[in-house]
């Protein structure tokens, strides 16, 4: 049988620096666990524009459709800010998400005990937090028609349309229920059914999919504004939250910040199952290309490494190996190893990107 395949698109800025640490870890799995991935690499974002005049070449797009999953670093940078909108680095990422039809965006908010002091909330509220927000990614108000700025009478009017079909809601609901079954079996669906018809349909469809296909999973519904309050008040009440594109954008950013640094946050974007039964998938850190620290060996590679852990779990059914990697990260943090972004007021000497990767590999070695 062919080895599982990964396309690495490291991108711009700190993307290649943090991805270099993931490549070391992929090498570790090959050497120490006998798990071999067929890894190919290509360009996305500004570096692809520099070479091909487009942020994502058609050949790269075709490769992305052909592999078991894509691992992406980050795209963008000041050099590309004045480019036409159609060829900006971010368009490469948007094309990948759109053409792979990655409708389900998983954003975990996990608080490692060693970093609980970094949250703006009290330590007891966030220590041990482990929740996932599932955001619908390819429909809703960011895509609905009509949209635009029009003239009505003697003034302008800005219009966006929140539109969801039943099947769009059903597929992201299934994705959340499947995820909950691998976790603590609890889903909270958030919308504004009190003021939006699309919210009423959302609630009905999520409930129907639950009753027909996932009656074993505990389901609750919450208005998204109340959900935002509950996330700040007592986030540990949640396991999986499923919500639409707009509310998910807001709630996942708020939840992410419960846990501290941007350098720690992984994400997965999943689509429909492929012939092998696994979803189309793209894994990437939440952070951008961090031009202010690029090329200095200061970037925290953990978000990218935890994104690879998500790939192990969701694309390769290697949940135990994913847990091994997450525990290695936890151990390194508990031992006080910190990149510059994780330094508290007490100070200390930060380690480089590469030293953080090496420390995680040493912890993986120790796990055997
Ligand atoms: P950013 O996430 O790149 O950086 C924000 C701040 O967080 C910076 O101070 C940066 O140094 C720090 N930071 C980010 N990741 C870090 C890490 N791994 N370790 C340590 N510190 C880290 O956001 P920005 O500055 O708003 O955007 C920079 C560029 O990245 C822009 O061109 C933007 O369009 C692009 N961007 C890309 C993505 C993506 O590729 N998915 C996401 C967001 C922004």
């Amino acid at each position: 049988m062919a080895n599982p395949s990964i396309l690495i698109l490291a991108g711009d800025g700190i993307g290649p620096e943090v991805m270099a640490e993931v490549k070391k870890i992929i090498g570790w799995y090959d050497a120490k666990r006998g798990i071999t991935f067929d890894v190919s690499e290509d360009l996305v974002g500004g570096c692809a524009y520099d070479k091909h005049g487009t942020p994502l070449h058609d050949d790269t797009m075709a490769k992305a459709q052909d592999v078991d999953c894509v691992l992406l670093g980050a795209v963008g940078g000041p050099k590309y800010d004045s480019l036409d909108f159609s060829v900006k680095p971010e368009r490469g990422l948007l094309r990948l998400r759109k053409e792979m039809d990655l409708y389900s965006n998983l954003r975990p908010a996990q608080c490692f005990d060693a970093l609980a002091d970094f949250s703006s909330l009290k330590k007891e509220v966030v220590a041990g937090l482990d929740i996932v927000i599932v955001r619908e990614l390819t429909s809703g108000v960011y895509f609905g028609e009509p949209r635009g700025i029009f003239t009505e009478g003697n003034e302008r009017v800005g219009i966006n349309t929140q539109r969801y079909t039943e099947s769009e809601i059903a597929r992201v609901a299934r994705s959340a229920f499947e995820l909950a079954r691998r976790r603590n079996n609890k889903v909270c669906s958030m919308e504004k059914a009190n003021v939006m018809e699309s919210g009423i349909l959302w609630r009905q469809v999520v409930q129907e999919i639950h009753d027909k296909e996932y009656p074993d999973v505990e389901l609750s519904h919450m208005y998204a504004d109340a959900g935002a309050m509950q996330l700040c008040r007592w986030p540990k009440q949640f396991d999986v939250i499923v919500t639409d594109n707009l509310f998910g954008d807001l709630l996942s950013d708020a939840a992410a910040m419960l846990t501290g640094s941007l350098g720690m946050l992984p994400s997965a974007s999943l689509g429909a199952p492929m012939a092998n039964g696994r979803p189309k998938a793209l894994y990437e850190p939440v952070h951008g290309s961090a031009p202010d620290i690029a090329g200095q060996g200061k970037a925290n590679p953990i978000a990218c490494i935890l994104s690879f852990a998500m790939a192990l779990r969701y694309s390769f059914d290697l949940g135990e190996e994913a847990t091994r990697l997450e525990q290695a990260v936890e151990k390194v943090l508990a031992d006080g190893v910190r990149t510059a972004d994780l330094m508290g007021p007490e100070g200390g000497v930060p380690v480089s990107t590469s030293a953080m990767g090496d420390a995680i590999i040493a912890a993986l070695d120790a796990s055997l």
Side-chain angles (χ1 to χ4, degrees):
M1 219 173 76
N3 293 326
S5 57
I6 300 177
L7 173 64
I8 290 187
L9 302 174
D12 307 317
I14 62 168
E17 299 172 47
V18 294
M19 197 59 83
E21 303 314 306
V22 173
K23 287 195 253 174
K24 283 187 197 164
I25 287 168
I26 291 174
W28 183 88
Y29 275 101
D30 184 20
K32 302 287 174 76
R33 303 291 299 152
I35 301 170
T36 306
F37 297 97
D38 282 343
V39 178
S40 52
E41 293 191 56
D42 213 329
L43 304 175
V44 68
C47 57
Y49 176 80
D50 288 340
K51 179 147 186 223
H52 303 300
T54 168
L56 190 76
H57 195 277
D58 289 346
D59 291 349
T60 317
M61 188 64 242
K63 280 186 208 165
Q65 298 283 21
D66 210 37
V67 287
D68 291 320
C69 77
V70 176
L71 284 184
L72 191 132
V75 297
K79 182 177 161 194
Y80 308 104
D81 282 351
S82 57
L83 286 182
D84 186 71
F85 184 69
S86 63
V87 287
K88 276 196 182 295
E90 291 75 8
R91 302 298 297 175
L93 182 49
L94 292 177
R95 182 176 175 199
L96 279 166
R97 287 180 183 155
K98 184 163 184 289
E99 293 193 18
M100 293 170 76
D101 199 13
L102 303 173
Y103 54 81
S104 176
N105 181 227
L106 274 53
R107 291 269 299 260
Q110 189 175 8
C111 186
F112 292 99
D113 284 353
L115 298 183
D117 283 331
F118 271 73
S119 173
S120 51
L121 297 188
K122 289 193 196 95
K123 190 169 178 170
E124 65 269 23
V125 177
V126 292
L129 178 70
D130 179 9
I131 64 176
V132 182
I133 300 203
V134 177
R135 165 189 173 194
E136 199 291 324
L137 200 60
T138 52
S139 186
V141 75
Y142 293 158
F143 296 92
E145 297 284 347
R147 63 183 298 166
I149 300 175
F150 306 95
T151 303
E152 268 182 25
N154 58 2
E155 66 172 351
R156 288 168 299 162
V157 49
I159 297 181
N160 291 92
T161 303
Q162 167 87 333
R163 180 179 192 278
Y164 270 109
T165 64
E166 209 175 332
S167 54
E168 286 168 343
I169 301 169
R171 65 184 187 171
V172 74
R174 284 193 187 97
S175 167
F177 288 126
E178 291 290 337
L179 177 64
R181 275 187 178 160
R182 290 162 168 261
R183 294 173 46 92
N184 298 315
N185 225 32
K186 242 167 71 167
V187 170
C188 179
S189 170
M190 295 189 187
E191 28 54 19
K192 291 279 289 175
N194 49 344
V195 285
M196 295 170 75
E197 283 75 9
S198 60
I200 296 175
L201 182 68
W202 182 282
R203 187 176 283 222
Q204 286 171 355
V205 174
V206 171
Q207 188 68 50
E208 287 160 13
I209 295 291
H210 168 268
D211 297 350
K212 273 191 223 139
E213 300 173 33
Y214 301 92
D216 53 302
V217 179
E218 190 186 319
L219 172 66
S220 60
H221 302 274
M222 204 178 268
Y223 298 138
D225 50 346
M229 280 197 285
Q230 291 300 327
L231 266 177
C232 299
R233 193 186 68 83
W234 191 242
K236 288 187 230 177
Q237 69 186 280
F238 299 112
D239 177 24
V240 174
I241 293 172
V242 62
T243 187
D244 73 15
N245 203 341
L246 174 63
F247 297 138
D249 197 1
L250 309 183
L251 293 170
S252 62
D253 269 18
M257 277 301 106
L258 300 176
T259 69
S261 169
L262 204 48
M264 296 290 302
L265 300 168
S267 79
S269 299
L270 307 179
M274 300 185 284
N276 63 10
R278 309 223 176 95
K280 278 208 180 271
L282 180 145
Y283 301 89
E284 57 179 326
V286 168
H287 62 71
S289 59
D292 53 335
I293 57 165
Q296 300 171 35
K298 287 184 183 167
N300 182 351
I302 292 179
C304 203
I305 289 170
L306 292 177
S307 301
F308 176 61
M310 292 184 84
L312 290 173
R313 182 170 286 121
Y314 299 123
S315 281
F316 302 118
D317 272 341
L318 292 168
E320 282 176 19
E321 298 299 338
T323 304
R324 179 195 299 281
L325 182 51
E326 287 158 355
Q327 286 175 347
V329 169
E330 191 161 10
K331 175 170 188 315
V332 162
L333 294 172
D335 289 347
V337 182
R338 301 273 188 273
T339 40
D341 57 307
L342 303 178
M343 300 302 295
E346 67 280 7
V349 182
V351 301
S352 67
T353 310
S354 153
M356 178 58 94
D358 292 343
I360 292 169
I361 290 205
L364 283 171
D365 276 334
S367 76
L368 294 177

